[in-house]
Amino acid sequence: MTEIYQKLENIVKKEFISNSLIVRHAYSRVVDPVLQGIPDIVIRPKDAKEISEILKVANEENIPVIPRGGGDDEFGGSKPIGDGGIVLDMKRMDNVLKLDEDNLIVTVEAGISWGKLDEYLCHYGLYTGCMGPGSGMTASVGGGISHQSVGGGGCAKYGACTNQLVSLEVVLPNGDIIETGSQANKFSKIPFNRFGNGPDLAGLFCGDNGIMGVKTKVSLQVFPRPPFAAYKTFLLPRKDRQVSSQIMLDVRRKGIDVYDLMYIMDLIMRVGCDQGMFPMWEQLKKKRGIIFYTVEANSEAELQEKVKQLDTIILDNKCEALGPEISDGNIAKWHYVEQGHWQFYHNLWGMVPALEPLSCECFVPANMYPTILDDIDQWDMEHAKDMEIFTKVTGMRPITGSGPIFLIDGNNVELTCGFTSFPSYYNGENHEGWDELNLKLWKSLMGMLTTKWGVQWYMMGEMASRIMAQLDAYLPDYYKTLKAIKKVLDPKNILSRGKFEFWGDGNK
Ligand SMILES: Cc1cc2nc3c(=O)[nH]c(=O)nc-3n(C[C@H](O)[C@H](O)[C@H](O)COP(=O)(O)OP(=O)(O)OC[C@H]3O[C@@H](n4cnc5c(N)ncnc54)[C@H](O)[C@@H]3O)c2cc1C
């Protein structure tokens, strides 16, 4: 390995490459406690040219390479499958390259975080619309595009972050560097449109989970932040799942361009309050499900009209409005004004110390999620015996359920569900078999959602893409076509080897 290390070091310089044990372990996991793969080398390139050279070496030596942005993936993805390979840490490439204020397009290096980008844009009265994922303080724009991310605010109005994509610069697995959209014309002066000059090649890299190329430069549409906004929170009546779903459908049917519309189930409300996570709701006598909205407008009159229409729908569904201030329980205000959309999930994930998330995130139609949630409850009951194994030792039962459910493009919602369990190393002791049990349960839940409901996994990490393959869930000709494209772009399967299980599940 030392000769290869030397070749790579010559590309990036000494301080941007490491094979030390501590660094390799630091890059061996993402958010979940179960999946681990320890890379041989971690490397932090500064530009597309360096990445191209790294990929050429990887091809010569047949070494897998895994791109990593913020490393906020929840189920593998930005770490190797099995041990070995090179992790390509993109976070050094975190600059804004150009803001085209006339055409409202920003061009950034792919390793920049959504937080840094939006902080920059706010000085110009602009924002990214979809604020990336809920992990946007650390998650990168390149990771978001690779995942079709949505969730960090603005989802009901703008949809997933890939909707705003104008063009990409991508280093292909063989080291070639391409640009997409208007930039495919070498005479084009500036990125200005995604579609045209041939098929939408950028689409191939959206949601690819890092298998088709390394995104190095991203041009996104940006938007003027409207001067008026209203944000309200409501307590749902009983049957909160059905009622919240009905509200979402009604809002879409009326064509109100709500910015965010989010449902938080009663379980999260109760457990979150017990854990001191939601001080704004502690005084509420009824700990029921919550629904909240944010709406934006260009004038006070427009805003009031939208608020009137939204309130009518929500109050007709027997919800109870909470007061206007955050201390009254108005989480919508915190979410929008204090950028709670980027603070929310990190707390939820660590709701109880040592309780680890084994989550799955998918898109489903808004009229479907109440029944899916019922099925998830049923799944939990059917696995009570397994859950008891953890409860006996920890005194706490793993919690199954869903995080916030929010309206995205069309009539769809983003459904974050799963269970919070315990890692095998708990309270100073190693508990044999726990990792395997967690993995078994996790796969079982994702399997149920895949085969019974046909949910759409949008960020696939390593878990979802492999489960789709293992369960034979892809239409055969779709899978064959995807595999053929991968083969053309990446004949040695260098990039993100093992995802989608095109050529088996291993890292070799
Ligand atoms: C607390 C928390 C909240 C979250 N909330 C949301 C949410 O609301 N919505 C949502 O969609 N997701 C959410 N996520 C999941 C995840 O953070 C997002 O999907 C995020 O966009 C990942 O970005 P990242 O930079 O961390 O990507 P990473 O985890 O580093 O990588 C994700 C995938 O993209 C690939 N990749 C990364 N950068 C590149 C690149 N430049 N070129 C090619 N491939 C690349 C990786 O190989 C990997 O497959 C959340 C995660 C956490 C921990």
PDB file of all heavy atoms in Angstrom, residues 55-72:
ATOM      1  N   LEU A  55      -8.790   9.265  -9.015  1.00  0.00           N
ATOM      2  CA  LEU A  55      -9.601   8.185  -9.596  1.00  0.00           C
ATOM      3  C   LEU A  55      -8.803   7.386 -10.634  1.00  0.00           C
ATOM      4  O   LEU A  55      -8.998   6.177 -10.779  1.00  0.00           O
ATOM      5  CB  LEU A  55     -10.886   8.757 -10.207  1.00  0.00           C
ATOM      6  CG  LEU A  55     -11.909   9.221  -9.165  1.00  0.00           C
ATOM      7  CD1 LEU A  55     -13.072   9.966  -9.815  1.00  0.00           C
ATOM      8  CD2 LEU A  55     -12.449   8.050  -8.349  1.00  0.00           C
ATOM      9  N   LYS A  56      -7.904   8.059 -11.316  1.00  0.00           N
ATOM     10  CA  LYS A  56      -7.068   7.321 -12.285  1.00  0.00           C
ATOM     11  C   LYS A  56      -6.161   6.328 -11.552  1.00  0.00           C
ATOM     12  O   LYS A  56      -6.010   5.181 -11.968  1.00  0.00           O
ATOM     13  CB  LYS A  56      -6.252   8.296 -13.137  1.00  0.00           C
ATOM     14  CG  LYS A  56      -7.128   8.951 -14.214  1.00  0.00           C
ATOM     15  CD  LYS A  56      -6.366   9.960 -15.042  1.00  0.00           C
ATOM     16  CE  LYS A  56      -7.336  10.692 -15.970  1.00  0.00           C
ATOM     17  NZ  LYS A  56      -6.821  11.955 -16.462  1.00  0.00           N
ATOM     18  N   VAL A  57      -5.590   6.766 -10.433  1.00  0.00           N
ATOM     19  CA  VAL A  57      -4.752   5.848  -9.635  1.00  0.00           C
ATOM     20  C   VAL A  57      -5.616   4.691  -9.118  1.00  0.00           C
ATOM     21  O   VAL A  57      -5.227   3.520  -9.179  1.00  0.00           O
ATOM     22  CB  VAL A  57      -4.090   6.597  -8.442  1.00  0.00           C
ATOM     23  CG1 VAL A  57      -3.387   5.617  -7.506  1.00  0.00           C
ATOM     24  CG2 VAL A  57      -3.114   7.656  -8.948  1.00  0.00           C
ATOM     25  N   ALA A  58      -6.814   5.026  -8.632  1.00  0.00           N
ATOM     26  CA  ALA A  58      -7.699   3.979  -8.089  1.00  0.00           C
ATOM     27  C   ALA A  58      -8.031   2.944  -9.161  1.00  0.00           C
ATOM     28  O   ALA A  58      -8.084   1.740  -8.885  1.00  0.00           O
ATOM     29  CB  ALA A  58      -8.977   4.617  -7.551  1.00  0.00           C
ATOM     30  N   ASN A  59      -8.223   3.408 -10.403  1.00  0.00           N
ATOM     31  CA  ASN A  59      -8.500   2.470 -11.498  1.00  0.00           C
ATOM     32  C   ASN A  59      -7.290   1.591 -11.793  1.00  0.00           C
ATOM     33  O   ASN A  59      -7.429   0.379 -11.965  1.00  0.00           O
ATOM     34  CB  ASN A  59      -8.903   3.239 -12.764  1.00  0.00           C
ATOM     35  CG  ASN A  59     -10.408   3.452 -12.832  1.00  0.00           C
ATOM     36  OD1 ASN A  59     -11.158   2.538 -13.145  1.00  0.00           O
ATOM     37  ND2 ASN A  59     -10.853   4.650 -12.488  1.00  0.00           N
ATOM     38  N   GLU A  60      -6.116   2.225 -11.823  1.00  0.00           N
ATOM     39  CA  GLU A  60      -4.891   1.438 -12.096  1.00  0.00           C
ATOM     40  C   GLU A  60      -4.708   0.346 -11.050  1.00  0.00           C
ATOM     41  O   GLU A  60      -4.304  -0.765 -11.341  1.00  0.00           O
ATOM     42  CB  GLU A  60      -3.656   2.351 -12.003  1.00  0.00           C
ATOM     43  CG  GLU A  60      -3.351   3.171 -13.241  1.00  0.00           C
ATOM     44  CD  GLU A  60      -2.431   4.355 -12.890  1.00  0.00           C
ATOM     45  OE1 GLU A  60      -1.636   4.273 -11.913  1.00  0.00           O
ATOM     46  OE2 GLU A  60      -2.555   5.363 -13.578  1.00  0.00           O
ATOM     47  N   GLU A  61      -5.020   0.701  -9.795  1.00  0.00           N
ATOM     48  CA  GLU A  61      -4.735  -0.216  -8.682  1.00  0.00           C
ATOM     49  C   GLU A  61      -5.969  -1.011  -8.239  1.00  0.00           C
ATOM     50  O   GLU A  61      -5.899  -1.773  -7.284  1.00  0.00           O
ATOM     51  CB  GLU A  61      -4.202   0.582  -7.472  1.00  0.00           C
ATOM     52  CG  GLU A  61      -3.009   1.473  -7.774  1.00  0.00           C
ATOM     53  CD  GLU A  61      -1.734   0.676  -8.029  1.00  0.00           C
ATOM     54  OE1 GLU A  61      -1.715  -0.535  -7.708  1.00  0.00           O
ATOM     55  OE2 GLU A  61      -0.765   1.263  -8.564  1.00  0.00           O
ATOM     56  N   ASN A  62      -7.104  -0.769  -8.889  1.00  0.00           N
ATOM     57  CA  ASN A  62      -8.364  -1.433  -8.536  1.00  0.00           C
ATOM     58  C   ASN A  62      -8.734  -1.241  -7.056  1.00  0.00           C
ATOM     59  O   ASN A  62      -8.973  -2.197  -6.317  1.00  0.00           O
ATOM     60  CB  ASN A  62      -8.293  -2.925  -8.890  1.00  0.00           C
ATOM     61  CG  ASN A  62      -9.667  -3.575  -8.812  1.00  0.00           C
ATOM     62  OD1 ASN A  62     -10.691  -2.880  -8.804  1.00  0.00           O
ATOM     63  ND2 ASN A  62      -9.705  -4.894  -8.733  1.00  0.00           N
ATOM     64  N   ILE A  63      -8.775   0.027  -6.646  1.00  0.00           N
ATOM     65  CA  ILE A  63      -9.130   0.339  -5.247  1.00  0.00           C
ATOM     66  C   ILE A  63     -10.466   1.082  -5.244  1.00  0.00           C
ATOM     67  O   ILE A  63     -10.616   2.082  -5.951  1.00  0.00           O
ATOM     68  CB  ILE A  63      -8.085   1.272  -4.595  1.00  0.00           C
ATOM     69  CG1 ILE A  63      -6.694   0.694  -4.750  1.00  0.00           C
ATOM     70  CG2 ILE A  63      -8.403   1.525  -3.125  1.00  0.00           C
ATOM     71  CD1 ILE A  63      -5.613   1.666  -4.352  1.00  0.00           C
ATOM     72  N   PRO A  64     -11.429   0.626  -4.439  1.00  0.00           N
ATOM     73  CA  PRO A  64     -12.700   1.357  -4.379  1.00  0.00           C
ATOM     74  C   PRO A  64     -12.557   2.732  -3.730  1.00  0.00           C
ATOM     75  O   PRO A  64     -11.724   2.917  -2.838  1.00  0.00           O
ATOM     76  CB  PRO A  64     -13.607   0.461  -3.537  1.00  0.00           C
ATOM     77  CG  PRO A  64     -12.733  -0.509  -2.863  1.00  0.00           C
ATOM     78  CD  PRO A  64     -11.436  -0.581  -3.606  1.00  0.00           C
ATOM     79  N   VAL A  65     -13.371   3.667  -4.206  1.00  0.00           N
ATOM     80  CA  VAL A  65     -13.350   5.042  -3.692  1.00  0.00           C
ATOM     81  C   VAL A  65     -14.769   5.421  -3.274  1.00  0.00           C
ATOM     82  O   VAL A  65     -15.723   5.162  -4.007  1.00  0.00           O
ATOM     83  CB  VAL A  65     -12.864   6.022  -4.789  1.00  0.00           C
ATOM     84  CG1 VAL A  65     -12.947   7.467  -4.306  1.00  0.00           C
ATOM     85  CG2 VAL A  65     -11.439   5.689  -5.214  1.00  0.00           C
ATOM     86  N   ILE A  66     -14.891   6.026  -2.095  1.00  0.00           N
ATOM     87  CA  ILE A  66     -16.216   6.407  -1.592  1.00  0.00           C
ATOM     88  C   ILE A  66     -16.229   7.906  -1.330  1.00  0.00           C
ATOM     89  O   ILE A  66     -15.515   8.395  -0.448  1.00  0.00           O
ATOM     90  CB  ILE A  66     -16.560   5.670  -0.267  1.00  0.00           C
ATOM     91  CG1 ILE A  66     -16.483   4.170  -0.466  1.00  0.00           C
ATOM     92  CG2 ILE A  66     -17.952   6.058   0.240  1.00  0.00           C
ATOM     93  CD1 ILE A  66     -15.152   3.581  -0.144  1.00  0.00           C
ATOM     94  N   PRO A  67     -17.048   8.666  -2.094  1.00  0.00           N
ATOM     95  CA  PRO A  67     -17.140  10.097  -1.806  1.00  0.00           C
ATOM     96  C   PRO A  67     -17.876  10.332  -0.495  1.00  0.00           C
ATOM     97  O   PRO A  67     -18.810   9.601  -0.160  1.00  0.00           O
ATOM     98  CB  PRO A  67     -17.966  10.663  -2.973  1.00  0.00           C
ATOM     99  CG  PRO A  67     -18.223   9.542  -3.911  1.00  0.00           C
ATOM    100  CD  PRO A  67     -17.918   8.268  -3.215  1.00  0.00           C
ATOM    101  N   ARG A  68     -17.443  11.354   0.226  1.00  0.00           N
ATOM    102  CA  ARG A  68     -18.091  11.689   1.499  1.00  0.00           C
ATOM    103  C   ARG A  68     -18.198  13.206   1.626  1.00  0.00           C
ATOM    104  O   ARG A  68     -17.212  13.920   1.452  1.00  0.00           O
ATOM    105  CB  ARG A  68     -17.249  11.135   2.649  1.00  0.00           C
ATOM    106  CG  ARG A  68     -17.844  11.384   4.045  1.00  0.00           C
ATOM    107  CD  ARG A  68     -16.995  10.659   5.075  1.00  0.00           C
ATOM    108  NE  ARG A  68     -17.391  10.890   6.432  1.00  0.00           N
ATOM    109  CZ  ARG A  68     -17.903   9.966   7.251  1.00  0.00           C
ATOM    110  NH1 ARG A  68     -18.107   8.745   6.809  1.00  0.00           N
ATOM    111  NH2 ARG A  68     -18.197  10.246   8.494  1.00  0.00           N
ATOM    112  N   GLY A  69     -19.419  13.676   1.904  1.00  0.00           N
ATOM    113  CA  GLY A  69     -19.610  15.104   2.155  1.00  0.00           C
ATOM    114  C   GLY A  69     -19.576  15.333   3.651  1.00  0.00           C
ATOM    115  O   GLY A  69     -18.547  15.197   4.306  1.00  0.00           O
ATOM    116  N   GLY A  70     -20.753  15.627   4.222  1.00  0.00           N
ATOM    117  CA  GLY A  70     -20.816  15.844   5.670  1.00  0.00           C
ATOM    118  C   GLY A  70     -20.800  14.550   6.464  1.00  0.00           C
ATOM    119  O   GLY A  70     -20.652  14.570   7.682  1.00  0.00           O
ATOM    120  N   GLY A  71     -20.994  13.419   5.792  1.00  0.00           N
ATOM    121  CA  GLY A  71     -21.054  12.134   6.501  1.00  0.00           C
ATOM    122  C   GLY A  71     -22.317  12.014   7.343  1.00  0.00           C
ATOM    123  O   GLY A  71     -22.340  11.308   8.344  1.00  0.00           O
ATOM    124  N   ASP A  72     -23.389  12.703   6.922  1.00  0.00           N
ATOM    125  CA  ASP A  72     -24.646  12.674   7.684  1.00  0.00           C
ATOM    126  C   ASP A  72     -25.616  11.613   7.190  1.00  0.00           C
ATOM    127  O   ASP A  72     -26.775  11.591   7.611  1.00  0.00           O
ATOM    128  CB  ASP A  72     -25.338  14.046   7.608  1.00  0.00           C
ATOM    129  CG  ASP A  72     -24.641  15.074   8.471  1.00  0.00           C
ATOM    130  OD1 ASP A  72     -24.806  15.011   9.687  1.00  0.00           O
ATOM    131  OD2 ASP A  72     -23.920  15.926   7.923  1.00  0.00           O
TER     132      ASP A  72
END
